[in-house]
Amino acid sequence: MIRLSYKKLSQLRHYKPSLTTLTNAYLYPTQSSRFITNFSDSNSSRSLTLSYLQKSCGLSLESAITASKKLHLDSTENPDLVLKLLRNYGLNQIHIKHIISTRPLLLLADINNTLKSNLEVFKSLGISGTTLAKVTSKEPRVLDVDARAVAEFFRENGFSDEQIVTLTMKRPVLYLYHAHKTFKPKLDFFKSLGFSEFDIAHILSSEPYILERSLEKKIMPCVQVIRRVVGHNLNVMKAIKANYRILESNVEKVLEPNMLLMANHGVPDSLILKIFLLQPKSLLLKTEQLSEIIVEVKRMGFDPTNLLFVLAIRSMAVMNKALWELKLEAYRSFGLSNDEILTAFKMQPMCMTTSVKKISKVLNFFMNKLNFSPSKISKNPNLMLLSLEKRILPRCSVLNILMSKELIKEDVNLLRMFTMTEEMFLKKVLTKYQDMVPEIVEAHQGRIEFQGFSRDLKSN
């Protein structure tokens, strides 16, 4: 066998290829020559891709190398059209650079059937330029999926264009789902609970992440626990409307232990249910955190059997300690002592849910414009819940006009005027005097700016 091999080797040494053999080798490339040709083509394509990504798309060499691992260009014809189209819809070079660096295959997108169609969908919603850049920075794939089908699905199910824009800006990833398969069963489930189409659109545009949660594994078990606590679908709807994010919470692990904690501190079942329907978040805190709040509220002197107790818990549950301190400091900066703040909080716990900005704005008006004392504020904390622009200022404007006409006296009880219901104010003031002084109607509508009372008010 070895001798045979040497014999063949010897024959090969003396072998001289014929012209025909050489010709055939030239006409029909061998596997090696094909490899060389393909290697050369590959290098050319890679060189074109890197050059295009850098020069036309603005990528750095490092980013271009990374992107070229997913993209191979044999021509710049389609990429040129893609870039031109993106610019036509308001995207600048910085936007394009970001999009292509994260989604290089977009350069090969179907111009008319996909890319332009999607851009038109977003444009019809008012999403273009910088707004479109924000959407694509979150999820570049929205430009090469069927965006029209998703947008039309939401329109068909009662979502306004404004609501579609809201959920698009919050969760553009929704456009990657098959809408009818993924979203329709969830909408149907909410309808079965009694929610109207309007309610569903409002809830899901406000919290679109709910649409990504599993119906069978997350949403339905969550609703089952809520129903077990509140009793029926009407209360289930109330709880969800009070805090949409309850559908994103792990209610099974925290809700029932927290309810037991409240009961152990002497809170009646009726009040536990009330706080859950008012502010579900209060009972979805970590049990340790809720326990600390309950202890603090009891230390302040609240009675666990009184509604104010659960309102105090609600107020403290919706903010962290740092924000709580900022609000205390806002009250102190206008001269209220710690005792006066506590008095206000015990009378109306919701006075601490007002923003720091509003606390300062309202106190500045009452104390610097109307000369209310810190004591008066602390004893009338409901003032902090009233709208300065929609209620206080218009009513002051009406009262000022009536004082200038001497139709009411300077010792009018402002507190009563501010806190009475709108219906009562219309009956006691507007209807009574509008025929004699028609301009008070404009004042009540906020069309006559209140600059201050023209006469000094007597203490009231």
Side-chain angles (χ1 to χ4, degrees), residues 189-402:
F189 176 71
F190 289 126
K191 286 179 182 177
S192 73
L193 295 176
F195 287 107
S196 67
E197 196 173 70
F198 176 84
D199 290 333
I200 295 170
H202 183 71
I203 292 170
L204 296 180
S205 61
S206 300
E207 288 296 327
Y209 177 67
I210 296 169
L211 286 166
E212 296 176 64
R213 289 176 66 79
S214 168
L215 178 60
E216 292 77 15
K217 296 179 181 179
K218 298 292 183 181
I219 297 175
M220 292 177 72
C222 176
V223 169
Q224 288 170 2
V225 173
I226 296 171
R227 187 186 289 113
R228 190 161 64 241
V229 169
V230 300
H232 51 74
N233 282 352
L234 185 61
N235 279 343
V236 170
M237 287 194 293
K238 286 181 180 179
I240 293 173
K241 285 181 178 180
N243 191 333
Y244 306 149
R245 290 187 178 181
I246 190 173
L247 294 171
E248 302 170 20
S249 305
N250 192 341
V251 294
E252 296 170 274
K253 286 189 176 181
V254 296
L255 182 56
E256 290 174 325
N258 284 348
M259 293 182 69
L260 180 60
L261 175 67
M262 297 275 281
N264 289 340
H265 277 277
V267 184
D269 290 345
S270 59
L271 287 186
I272 296 175
L273 177 60
K274 183 161 287 188
I275 189 174
F276 183 66
L277 294 178
L278 283 172
Q279 182 54 266
K281 183 180 178 180
S282 306
L283 290 175
L284 296 175
L285 298 173
K286 291 181 179 179
T287 303
E288 298 80 7
Q289 185 180 355
L290 179 60
S291 180
E292 289 178 8
I293 292 174
I294 292 173
V295 170
E296 180 64 17
V297 168
K298 291 180 78 172
R299 186 191 66 78
M300 291 178 184
F302 285 91
D303 179 2
T305 63
N306 191 292
L307 176 61
L308 291 175
F309 182 86
V310 297
L311 291 179
I313 290 175
R314 178 196 177 190
S315 297
M316 298 186 75
V318 297
M319 70 189 87
N320 57 38
K321 290 182 179 179
L323 181 56
W324 180 267
E325 285 300 323
L326 283 175
K327 293 183 179 184
L328 290 178
E329 185 55 39
Y331 279 107
R332 292 190 196 107
S333 69
F334 282 88
L336 276 77
S337 66
N338 288 335
D339 286 342
E340 286 172 329
I341 297 171
L342 179 59
T343 296
F345 183 63
K346 290 179 72 172
M347 291 182 68
Q348 176 48 272
M350 302 305 292
C351 71
M352 287 298 286
T353 62
T354 301
S355 70
V356 174
K357 182 179 179 180
K358 184 180 177 182
I359 290 172
S360 298
K361 192 175 182 180
V362 171
L363 288 179
N364 179 62
F365 179 79
F366 285 129
M367 300 181 73
N368 295 331
K369 299 292 184 182
L370 302 185
N371 296 318
F372 280 20
S373 66
S375 176
K376 181 172 284 190
I377 295 292
S378 69
K379 293 175 182 177
N380 296 277
N382 282 326
L383 290 172
M384 303 306 301
L385 307 183
L386 304 177
S387 170
L388 195 61
E389 292 76 13
K390 295 180 180 179
R391 176 182 288 212
I392 305 300
L393 290 173
R395 291 190 184 184
C396 282
S397 186
V398 169
L399 296 174
N400 187 48
I401 293 172
L402 294 177

Side-chain angles (χ1 to χ4, degrees), residues 24-38:
N24 287 340
Y26 177 77
L27 293 175
Y28 305 102
T30 62
Q31 184 176 355
S32 297
S33 63
R34 283 199 300 272
F35 173 79
I36 292 170
T37 302
N38 291 339

